[in-house]
Amino acid sequence: MVGVIPDEEAGALPDQFIHLVQPGDWARPPGYGETLAWWSNGGDREPFFEHPVDPSGPLTPTPAAQRFADFIHNVNAATDAAEAMRDASMSLMPETEGAGLFVAVARKASPAAALCYGLGAEGTAMLPGWFGDFLLSADDVITALPRAEEALRLSSTRRSEVLSRITSWITAMGDAPGFDAAELIDAPLRALLFAAETGSGAAAFSRWY
């Protein structure tokens, strides 16, 4: 989910929920540092999917894909404070999808992981926040926008590559045959541009149901 929120609320949200932070909330899961280093230093270009028997058959994930999926699932923990901020952010976003709100839904597969895999480590590092989660004031949006545009406004060749990688992830890791890979590239940038145009803040996060 990526959506605009009022600038004043974006600045105030952390203080509203700081009292919910518990000892250990900031601890990273085991192997976090090693996996981050692996991903950032070439792991993003390892084979994540393969056709083990029939080249025309379905793709299956390799250990590299599962390693990255587990990393994304655990990297932004669902602590009490984080979940309260996500609930509050969602309540401040537009009620219907449009320029100011994008919601990507995929059964079993993580759209955030798909986008990160599609863009690779270098492109992902240009996005605001941390692997799909962010809370930005209006000023933060303006600061983040140039790098986000660089990451998501793609040449035709690069876009084709990213779309192919996103589709591979969604197909092999989940069950969402109608998933719109192009919107996963275009819509988050559209929301950030709308936030910049309206002087709004913005938030993004993932939820598993």
Side-chain angles (χ1 to χ4, degrees):
M1 178 176 288
V2 185
V4 300
I5 60 176
D7 180 41
E8 284 189 12
E9 300 286 357
L13 281 176
D15 288 341
Q16 289 182 31
F17 302 108
I18 190 68
H19 66 283
L20 296 177
V21 176
Q22 300 294 320
D25 278 358
W26 302 110
R28 294 300 189 180
Y32 169 89
E34 292 84 352
T35 298
L36 179 60
W38 161 77
W39 161 259
S40 302
N41 293 289
D44 61 326
R45 291 294 165 179
E46 289 186 13
F48 274 44
F49 305 104
E50 60 185 11
H51 296 280
V53 180
D54 182 357
S56 63
L59 290 171
T60 59
T62 67
Q66 192 58 58
R67 181 180 185 180
F68 189 62
D70 292 343
F71 174 79
I72 293 293
H73 186 70
N74 295 315
V75 72
N76 292 306
T79 63
D80 289 344
E83 289 297 277
M85 286 183 60
R86 290 165 184 161
D87 286 339
S89 296
M90 188 162 56
S91 72
L92 295 166
M93 292 176 182
E95 293 184 358
T96 58
E97 285 196 70
L101 177 66
F102 170 61
V103 181
V105 179
R107 186 171 178 267
K108 298 182 181 179
S110 161
L115 180 60
C116 292
Y117 171 66
L119 294 174
E122 184 176 353
T124 299
M126 296 179 184
L127 301 179
W130 198 239
F131 292 100
D133 272 40
F134 61 71
L135 176 62
L136 307 177
S137 67
D139 287 343
D140 294 334
V141 168
I142 297 301
T143 299
L145 195 51
R147 283 175 60 80
E149 287 187 292
E150 185 177 351
L152 298 171
R153 288 195 189 281
L154 307 171
S155 68
S156 59
T157 299
R158 170 71 172 146
R159 183 179 175 88
S160 178
E161 175 194 1
V162 172
L163 285 172
S164 177
R165 285 167 66 93
I166 289 172
T167 300
S168 293
W169 184 279
I170 292 295
T171 301
M173 302 298 287
D175 179 18
F179 190 84
D180 190 340
E183 274 292 276
L184 194 57
I185 298 172
D186 299 332
L189 180 57
R190 191 162 60 238
L192 288 174
L193 288 167
F194 185 76
E197 291 167 1
T198 57
S200 302
F205 55 86
S206 296
R207 279 265 170 81
W208 291 93
Y209 294 102

